[in-house]
Amino acid sequence: MKDLIAALYKLDALRKDDHVEQRVLPAIPPQFANSALMDGLGGPLREALKQLGVEALFEHQERAIELIRTGKDVVLEAPTASGKTLCFNIPLVERLLREPDAHALMIHPMKALSSDQRRQFDTLAQATQQNGGQRLESWIYDRSVNQETRFVLRNHPPAVLFTNPEMLHQSFLQHADKWRRFLEGLKLVVLDEIHEYRGYFGTNVALLLRRFFAYLHRLGVNPQVVLATATCGNALEHANRLTGRRCEHVVARTPMRPERHFAFIDPQIPDHMFHKIYLLRIARAAIACVQRGLSTLIFCPTRRFVEEATTLARRDAQECGVSPELIAPYRSGYDAQTRMQVKQNLRTGKVKAVFTTNALEIGLDIGRLDACILAGFPDSVLSVWQRIGRAGRRWDKKAYVLFYALNNPFDRFYAKNIDAFLNKQLDEIMVGVDNEELMGRHLPFLAYECGVDLDERLLPLLGEPFFRFAKEKFRHRRPMRNGRPHYQALGIRGVSGGTYKLVCKGQEIGEISDAHCFREAYVGAIYNHFGKQYRVVSHGTEVIELEVVTQPGLRTEGSFWSVTQASEAMAGIRYAEELATCYGKLTVFENFGGYRLIDVRSDQVLENYPANQARSLTVRGFWMGFEEDELFGKRLTVEDLVGLEQLLRIGAPFVVPCDRHDLATLSSTSRDNRGVYIYETVPGGIGIAEKLLEVWPKVLQTAIDILKNCSCKQGCPSCLIPPRKLREDVSLKKKEVIAFAQHILRQVPKACREEFDPDTWTWVPIAQYQQV
């Protein structure tokens, strides 16, 4: 690490006034099993493993294989690069050799993982065939598969199919009649990287899997389920909630790892120039790694950041003695061939540094990767460990981790408290299997797949909440006889899930989700794609037209803001009629007011373009409402409310298990709607806002502690000030924000409390409410 740090200083990726904390985690070797399981494998499989260099199994591999062999559902929890894939590939190949008509379905959250997992399966299958076993075919089945190939796969299915949740919904269930041959022989369903199934996405996948298993039950099929994760704090609970199945839990007893060298960096950059200089630092850090011969992944916070940082790194590489061809971007929105080529070039060493989003957070098993650069802290601690785990996947190599903090409290807290990160327990994952809004979206599909007269035998497969909710809704419906409802947008990953094709001069160059479209690809926006700049010309029903930008050095900056209103309180506590804390439904309006065209070189605004667009979301939220101008004797100010909002934003991710981007905050200062809101970005909620009703004092105290421990005097982006200015008329002062929050925490325990009764919409003394 000493040589790498020196290179960072030399290339101006690190400066002497930056705060740097370094640690080294020594290598922990794996524990090998002592039994004769390997010798008990069939000859072709045993010889194939030896041919691939697998002479012995780790302890957790042996335990998992033994359980899977018995037919039990299993969830495996083991570190990255610990051989989890072999845990299900070995018994899978065994069974396929024994039962030629058997099939397996591998469901992965990202395309990169399907590609990598298929490569590993094929490597084992081909080695087995070379040693006398039969041929085992596999295929990746996603949206890129053409219609002719789909027809062949349905009528002559291979032994193993690799797919994703979207195709499970749109093809395996929508056209289940065409997949009958494959589904009737389905013996094993594998769900890898299950920590990715959380929040909105995870809740939808949980409901989708319940529908899938219910449909299979109608066919008389009950496949075994195997799940795996490296970074989940509640793996067994999560696996059970995700699938509705009771799984056996296998945990690696030792946290095996290579020797890892960490440098956590809090760059001292002026706030008004932060983005521009930070981009340059990250680009130069990547070049420094390539100079040292380190194959490196650079994880970036946004797709736009990927493009901008790649452009800078390629621009400066030549003068630093590095070929620009060694640097590449990778993110969603690229076509399949481009993504595959980037990964292949990284695997062979033709590319040494790849700037990426979370698209390569999982599913990249390349032994040659040496370093990981984190441009900002991702949503959660588990995501950090996933990214760190991409590098150093061989026990005899060192791995290097560089973390550059963005200017927000979450990043800078960990940059200055590296031990708090290294010692922090992994996050617990939440999915809302009782989310009525999302259950309602799945109902038309469930009715088509299982009918509206649900058999009680489906109760354990659908789960109590989904089954009872569906029974109630289906009570007065007629059975669906004709037509498939799957043409309706379900939006498994996003609010609406729609996608647009990106087209330039009649050629499709990629795609973009509707959520990204609203904020990144509005008409007039300059959009970066694979190192090139385009301008958005127009929006169609399914197509966004682009044109190449011929004038370099320009960017656009959109103006967005949100407002909210409480639509229904579901629970709450009121303190002496002065403060009401509530949990319930909120309507959030997201607005787009236009954009500015900016010269990148001078930061000069060249033109302002007005617009007027909006969209609304119904979400679950927690809010603190203030009906009077005073709170416990103190007159309320705008700064009090905005400061309280920032404290909730800062403290919540440290107290409630969640991704940071599962939450958003707002404050309202109007007399008829005075309050502070923190709401879930997951429609229908997954329980985070409801939990906040219980623990909000702890959230405030946690935020206060972070502010107090920051060395600034008036409040800075490290502790209080958000990256984007909230209001022009508000100037937050740290001392005053802390004093107001402490005033609330002192007075609340003394206040008389009432509980909200949602049946009568009234406040009732808590003792009386409990008697009722």
Side-chain angles (χ1 to χ4, degrees):
M1 180 63 88
K2 184 178 180 181
D3 291 343
L4 179 56
I5 293 293
L8 295 175
Y9 279 116
K10 185 176 180 180
L11 290 183
D12 203 30
L14 195 60
R15 294 186 176 181
K16 290 187 177 180
D17 56 347
D18 293 338
H19 181 90
V20 183
E21 290 196 5
Q22 297 185 57
R23 297 289 187 277
V24 178
L25 295 184
I28 299 178
Q31 297 294 317
F32 288 94
N34 297 319
S35 77
L37 189 147
M38 280 283 288
D39 295 332
L41 297 174
L45 179 55
R46 182 178 63 251
E47 294 305 315
L49 290 169
K50 290 180 179 179
Q51 180 180 319
L52 297 174
V54 181
E55 297 288 344
L57 296 172
F58 302 146
E59 286 183 344
H60 67 274
Q61 289 178 318
E62 183 180 83
R63 292 199 304 275
I65 290 169
E66 288 175 341
L67 283 171
I68 295 171
R69 276 173 149 185
T70 65
K72 293 183 178 179
D73 295 336
V74 174
V75 55
L76 171 64
E77 182 182 353
T80 54
S82 62
K84 289 189 295 296
T85 302
L86 274 181
C87 293
F88 46 79
N89 273 351
I90 288 176
L92 172 59
V93 170
E94 260 193 320
R95 185 160 191 174
L96 294 175
L97 292 174
R98 190 173 64 247
E99 302 177 40
D101 293 330
H103 298 292
L105 189 64
M106 308 285 204
I107 304 172
H108 299 120
M110 293 183 181
K111 289 183 178 181
L113 183 56
S114 285
S115 176
D116 186 72
Q117 290 290 292
R118 185 197 180 194
R119 182 179 59 83
Q120 293 189 57
F121 174 81
D122 283 353
T123 299
L124 179 59
Q126 289 166 11
T128 303
Q129 183 183 1
Q130 292 169 6
N131 285 278
Q134 67 197 50
R135 183 183 179 187
L136 300 176
E137 292 187 348
S138 72
W139 204 270
I140 294 177
Y141 190 83
D142 58 23
R143 279 203 315 169
S144 64
V145 177
N146 60 44
Q147 290 298 324
E148 183 179 350
T149 304
R150 292 186 185 202
F151 178 82
V152 173
L153 291 175
R154 288 165 175 168
N155 289 277
H156 305 282
V160 183
L161 280 174
F162 296 82
T163 192
N164 55 55
E166 282 80 2
M167 297 310 293
L168 186 65
H169 169 70
Q170 295 169 6
S171 190
F172 291 96
L173 281 174
Q174 179 182 7
H175 300 288
D177 51 331
K178 298 178 181 179
W179 285 106
R180 188 94 178 212
R181 183 173 177 182
F182 176 80
L183 294 177
E184 287 183 340
L186 186 60
K187 304 299 182 182
L188 180 67
V189 174
V190 174
L191 294 153
D192 201 1
E193 309 287 5
I194 61 169
H195 47 268
E196 291 294 318
Y197 300 119
R198 57 189 187 267
Y200 184 92
F201 181 37
T203 300
N204 271 311
V205 171
L207 296 171
L208 173 60
L209 289 171
R210 282 159 171 74
R211 286 169 38 209
F212 183 56
F213 293 138
Y215 179 79
L216 292 177
H217 174 79
R218 295 182 64 200
L219 298 181
V221 176
N222 182 31
Q224 182 182 6
V225 179
V226 175
L227 308 97
T229 181
T231 52
C232 178
N234 58 334
L236 180 60
E237 177 192 21
H238 182 49
N240 292 342
R241 288 174 65 84
L242 187 64
T243 63
R245 316 273 287 231
R246 294 300 167 199
C247 301
E248 298 289 334
H249 191 196
V250 176
V251 186
R253 291 197 180 99
T254 57
M256 59 187 74
R257 65 180 180 227
E259 182 179 306
R260 287 201 176 107
H261 295 253
F262 292 82
F264 275 30
I265 301 161
D266 184 12
Q268 302 305 296
I269 303 172
D271 295 339
H272 67 284
M273 300 180 66
F274 189 90
H275 179 74
K276 187 175 183 179
I277 296 177
Y278 184 84
L279 265 171
L280 185 60
R281 297 277 197 98
I282 298 299
R284 291 298 183 92
I287 294 173
C289 289
V290 176
Q291 276 186 338
R292 304 297 303 169
L294 303 176
S295 292
T296 307
L297 284 180
I298 306 96
F299 287 100
C300 305
T302 64
R303 306 187 332 162
R304 180 171 178 171
F305 193 105
V306 167
E307 299 289 349
E308 292 176 340
T310 303
T311 301
L312 285 174
R314 284 174 169 172
R315 183 197 70 183
D316 296 345
Q318 199 77 51
E319 66 181 58
C320 299
V322 171
S323 170
E325 300 301 317
L326 293 174
I327 299 166
Y330 184 102
R331 62 171 178 80
S332 62
Y334 294 164
D335 61 77
Q337 184 177 356
T338 299
R339 292 194 302 269
M340 188 180 301
Q341 189 62 57
V342 172
K343 287 193 294 181
Q344 181 61 21
N345 289 343
L346 183 61
R347 186 171 284 114
T348 61
K350 189 175 180 179
V351 165
K352 298 290 285 186
V354 173
F355 290 85
T356 182
T357 57
N358 65 341
L360 286 181
E361 182 177 302
I362 59 176
L364 193 66
D365 189 6
I366 299 176
R368 67 168 54 248
L369 284 176
D370 305 296
C372 167
I373 299 175
L374 303 172
F377 207 88
D379 294 346
S380 60
V381 171
L382 66 87
S383 290
V384 179
W385 283 112
Q386 277 298 128
R387 297 177 184 192
I388 289 172
R390 297 308 100 199
R393 297 178 71 82
R394 282 174 47 182
W395 308 111
D396 58 347
K397 294 185 66 176
K398 296 179 181 179
Y400 300 90
V401 179
L402 301 177
F403 164 55
Y404 280 80
L406 286 165
N407 56 337
N408 64 64
F410 206 81
D411 280 34
R412 287 183 162 169
F413 172 83
Y414 282 120
K416 294 179 179 178
N417 297 274
I418 188 171
D419 292 322
F421 164 74
L422 294 175
N423 297 324
K424 189 179 187 301
Q425 295 291 320
L426 292 174
D427 296 335
E428 295 184 356
I429 294 176
M430 301 175 70
V431 292
V433 292
D434 57 352
N435 183 316
E436 292 190 358
E437 182 165 337
L438 296 192
M439 285 193 290
R441 297 185 185 189
H442 284 260
L443 283 188
F445 312 109
L446 178 64
Y448 171 77
E449 295 149 4
C450 296
V452 296
D453 187 15
L454 296 180
D455 191 308
E456 288 289 332
R457 287 175 293 182
L458 294 180
L459 174 59
L461 297 167
L462 293 174
E464 181 82 25
F466 196 17
F467 182 84
R468 297 303 177 199
F469 180 80
K471 286 283 282 187
E472 176 63 26
K473 297 296 182 181
F474 289 164
R475 189 163 37 170
H476 304 297
R477 289 192 184 184
R478 295 179 180 177
M480 294 186 64
R481 301 185 184 278
N482 299 308
R484 293 182 172 92
H486 296 73
Y487 67 87
Q488 303 175 31
L490 177 59
I492 293 174
R493 296 176 193 261
V495 174
S496 60
T499 57
Y500 295 86
K501 296 178 181 178
L502 298 172
V503 175
C504 182
K505 295 182 179 179
Q507 181 180 358
E508 183 179 344
I509 63 171
E511 63 181 29
I512 187 172
S513 70
D514 57 354
H516 283 109
C517 177
F518 185 74
R519 290 189 171 268
E520 298 177 18
Y522 44 85
V523 174
I526 291 179
Y527 184 77
N528 296 309
H529 185 84
F530 207 69
K532 293 183 180 180
Q533 282 195 322
Y534 300 84
R535 185 187 295 277
V536 179
V537 177
S538 65
H539 286 184
T541 305
E542 298 179 347
V543 173
I544 294 178
E545 293 285 346
L546 307 174
E547 64 180 13
V548 177
V549 174
T550 56
Q551 182 180 351
L554 298 177
R555 68 181 175 89
T556 49
E557 186 177 280
S559 173
F560 299 92
W561 72 96
S562 300
V563 294
T564 186
Q565 64 182 36
S567 55
E568 180 185 342
M570 300 165 70
I573 297 176
R574 188 165 65 169
Y575 302 88
E577 298 187 4
E578 298 195 39
L579 168 65
T581 57
C582 298
Y583 155 72
K585 297 179 182 179
L586 297 172
T587 301
V588 178
F589 301 92
E590 294 185 343
N591 301 275
F592 171 55
Y595 66 95
R596 302 186 298 173
L597 181 64
I598 299 172
D599 186 327
V600 173
R601 292 159 293 190
S602 64
D603 276 340
Q604 179 183 355
V605 178
L606 303 179
E607 193 73 51
N608 284 291
Y609 295 90
N612 185 17
Q613 296 179 25
R615 61 178 186 170
S616 64
L617 304 171
T618 300
V619 296
R620 297 291 190 272
F622 163 78
W623 64 92
M624 303 176 72
F626 309 92
E627 296 184 3
E628 305 297 332
D629 294 334
E630 290 189 354
L631 178 66
F632 303 128
K634 183 191 182 302
R635 186 168 184 80
L636 288 173
T637 66
V638 173
E639 286 76 15
D640 289 335
L641 298 178
V642 176
L644 195 59
E645 174 196 345
Q646 295 312 302
L647 291 179
L648 290 175
R649 176 181 66 85
I650 294 164
F654 290 94
V655 177
V656 181
C658 65
D659 288 358
R660 282 182 295 161
H661 299 297
D662 283 341
L663 296 172
T665 61
L666 286 172
S667 55
S668 174
T669 57
S670 63
R671 277 184 168 272
D672 58 346
N673 189 31
R674 189 188 289 113
V676 176
Y677 302 83
I678 181 166
Y679 60 90
E680 300 183 45
T681 56
V682 178
I686 55 173
I688 299 174
E690 188 174 7
K691 183 71 174 177
L692 285 169
L693 179 63
E694 175 187 340
V695 300
W696 68 266
K698 186 177 180 180
V699 170
L700 286 187
Q701 187 58 57
T702 300
I704 290 171
D705 293 341
I706 291 174
L707 264 63
K708 284 183 174 180
N709 290 330
C710 184
S711 59
C712 73
K713 294 182 178 180
Q714 293 298 327
C716 67
S718 294
C719 63
L720 180 62
I721 311 301
R724 295 180 180 176
K725 193 171 181 63
L726 294 176
R727 295 176 52 141
E728 295 295 332
D729 60 336
V730 174
S731 178
L732 299 179
K733 295 180 174 58
K734 183 166 74 170
K735 186 177 180 180
E736 295 176 2
V737 170
I738 291 174
F740 178 60
Q742 289 177 329
H743 174 69
I744 294 176
L745 294 178
R746 281 195 303 269
Q747 296 301 321
V748 159
K750 307 174 188 176
C752 178
R753 303 186 186 189
E754 297 175 312
E755 190 156 1
F756 181 74
D757 182 354
D759 294 328
T760 62
W761 279 66
T762 58
W763 294 98
V764 181
I766 286 182
Q768 179 181 336
Y769 183 82
Q770 290 173 342
Q771 289 175 4
V772 174

